[in-house]
Amino acid sequence: MNLSSVLYVTDTRYGQNAWNDPSARHRCYHYADALVADSWISQVVHIDRLSELLVRQFRHVIFHRPKFTGRFAKAIELCRRCDVVLHADYDDLIFDTALASSSPLYINGNRPLDKVEAYFSDNRQAMQCFESIVVSTGALAKHVLSSRPQMSVTILPNSLPRLFQAPQKRAVSNKRFTIGYFPGSNSHSHDVEMIRGALAGLFTAMPDSKLVVMGRMEPESLPFSSQQVTFKSFVDYSQYLEQLAQVDLSIAPLQANVFNDAKSAVKLIESVSVGTPILATENGDMRDHQNPMSLLVKDEADWPAMLLHCANDQSGFDNSSSERLKQSYSVQARLPVLQKMLSAAA
């Protein structure tokens, strides 16, 4: 068995098309690809495809967002039989049952409270099977350690893929100032509701401005005219980056709560890397990734003024720093953190 070998196991609802899950893409595929490029052995597999023959080829197995189910229990038993080193990876606060009633899953109406509580409970039970946890943000690390102080926790931020290529920006004549909002899931209705007033003020002050929303967002969440807001369907990663590159400013509003405090700055990372400045709600990971192409909003009440400021004057953003930022946010730059953790655990 090669000690420099890592198998990622995901249980995403996308099944064998796990690449289409943004979380699996950032937490599994990007890092597996970077490991292989650095002469490690690595692979991503859906939990349904796990077998003893496969597991015995690896020293480390990292379970992506594990939840306790019958097949998870069988998978853990198989891994222990094969004497591999087990790790779990989390990029969301989804394991504290005491917080279920204030989770986006519940308050946005995605799941009833009992289902959210059961989901968090299953995640928490699965976490008990691991002594090594990888998380995407410092806030998540604190939540893990608050419940299991002896746990080995590694902070591994979300990153750009190894072969990341920023799309070319298209020149458009008579271009209106365009803002882009790209929710990756349908759990952000309360976040965007927070800035409705700010958007209304912008449309009044700058009638030629417009908002493009791409992703899973109900039109009822933004009751503006079709001249002001355009809704586009969820698309794959490359098409999303192309759309992100075409807007003048991207926004990432987040309500102030414990769940959003634990969110990663992946929207900021992707936006500045395609050359698009971003206005985002501040949290810990956003602060850690603050750069000359980003502006962070500390208080909800500041959104109207900050949005108008960005629309009226973009000279405060240093777009020339995009190339440097791509390097610092790349998976290659983060990879040593993962390799050090794995080597120490081998």
Side-chain angles (χ1 to χ4, degrees):
M1 179 194 299
N2 189 327
L3 296 182
S4 300
S5 54
V6 185
L7 178 65
Y8 284 91
V9 180
T10 183
D11 192 9
T12 171
R13 68 181 186 277
Y14 289 84
Q16 308 310 318
N17 298 312
W19 168 261
N20 292 325
D21 182 339
S23 177
R25 188 166 59 240
H26 283 288
R27 304 308 297 169
C28 305
Y29 286 95
H30 289 180
Y31 278 102
D33 173 69
L35 286 166
V36 170
D38 202 41
S39 300
W40 284 52
I41 299 170
S42 191
Q43 184 177 339
V44 184
V45 65
H46 191 268
I47 195 169
D48 285 339
R49 295 290 181 87
L50 207 61
S51 68
E52 183 168 340
L53 179 63
L54 178 63
V55 172
R56 289 197 180 277
Q57 299 175 46
F58 296 90
R59 178 56 181 156
H60 299 273
V61 177
I62 301 179
F63 280 79
H64 168 242
R65 295 170 67 108
K67 58 181 179 288
F68 203 94
T69 61
R71 62 183 175 184
F72 171 79
K74 292 178 181 178
I76 287 293
E77 181 183 351
L78 186 159
C79 290
R80 288 172 176 161
R81 190 164 64 245
C82 296
D83 194 31
V84 297
V85 182
L86 292 170
H87 314 267
D89 185 291
Y90 293 95
D91 59 352
D92 261 327
L93 183 53
I94 52 173
F95 44 76
D96 190 337
T97 52
L99 299 174
S101 62
S102 56
S103 76
L105 281 173
Y106 173 62
I107 63 175
N108 287 317
N110 292 358
R111 300 186 191 182
L113 181 57
D114 61 331
K115 296 294 185 183
V116 178
E117 289 173 337
Y119 174 56
F120 280 22
S121 179
D122 289 342
N123 293 330
R124 187 177 185 85
Q125 186 178 356
M127 183 186 286
Q128 309 307 312
C129 299
F130 302 90
E131 297 301 327
S132 171
I133 303 290
V134 184
V135 294
S136 56
T137 69
L140 273 178
K142 291 178 181 178
H143 281 285
V144 172
L145 290 171
S146 68
S147 59
R148 295 195 63 188
Q150 304 307 312
M151 180 77 74
S152 172
V153 180
T154 300
I155 302 171
L156 186 67
N158 282 335
S159 307
L160 297 173
R162 181 175 60 90
L163 299 177
F164 180 86
Q165 292 290 329
Q168 291 293 316
K169 286 184 175 290
R170 296 192 302 268
V172 180
S173 59
N174 301 319
K175 189 170 184 291
R176 299 165 65 187
F177 183 82
T178 304
I179 302 165
Y181 180 51
F182 302 89
S185 71
N186 57 358
S187 62
H188 294 283
S189 59
H190 278 66
D191 294 324
V192 78
E193 181 179 304
M194 178 185 77
I195 63 165
R196 279 181 189 165
L199 289 168
L202 175 68
F203 295 145
T204 298
M206 297 180 63
D208 284 339
S209 61
K210 66 175 181 178
L211 173 68
V212 175
V213 181
M214 172 169 282
R216 299 184 171 94
M217 176 64 60
E218 294 296 329
E220 292 77 12
S221 300
L222 289 165
F224 297 100
S225 74
S226 58
Q227 293 297 310
Q228 296 167 321
V229 181
T230 299
F231 290 89
K232 297 186 177 182
S233 301
F234 184 83
V235 294
D236 66 23
Y237 186 56
S238 61
Q239 291 176 293
Y240 151 66
L241 292 177
E242 289 177 5
Q243 293 290 324
L244 179 58
Q246 302 315 316
V247 300
D248 299 300
L249 176 75
S250 69
I251 57 173
L254 293 172
Q255 284 198 332
N257 59 52
V258 68
F259 293 92
N260 286 336
D261 287 345
K263 290 281 187 183
S264 86
V266 67
K267 291 297 182 185
L268 179 153
I269 292 169
E270 291 171 339
S271 188
V272 302
S273 297
V274 302
T276 298
I278 184 169
L279 178 65
T281 298
E282 180 177 310
N283 68 7
D285 208 46
M286 291 288 188
R287 284 193 300 271
D288 290 345
H289 290 84
Q290 173 70 298
N291 62 76
M293 288 183 64
S294 63
L295 194 58
L296 302 184
V297 181
K298 294 184 179 182
D299 190 278
E300 179 180 332
D302 294 334
W303 265 96
M306 297 280 271
L307 192 57
L308 273 171
H309 168 73
C310 290
N312 284 311
D313 180 14
Q314 288 208 296
S315 62
F317 294 115
D318 177 14
N319 288 31
S320 66
S321 62
S322 182
E323 194 62 37
R324 174 180 57 81
L325 293 170
K326 280 193 287 187
Q327 297 302 318
S328 63
Y329 297 155
S330 70
V331 69
Q332 295 95 314
R334 324 272 208 195
L335 191 60
V337 174
L338 176 62
Q339 291 173 317
K340 182 179 179 181
M341 182 272 287
L342 295 170
S343 296

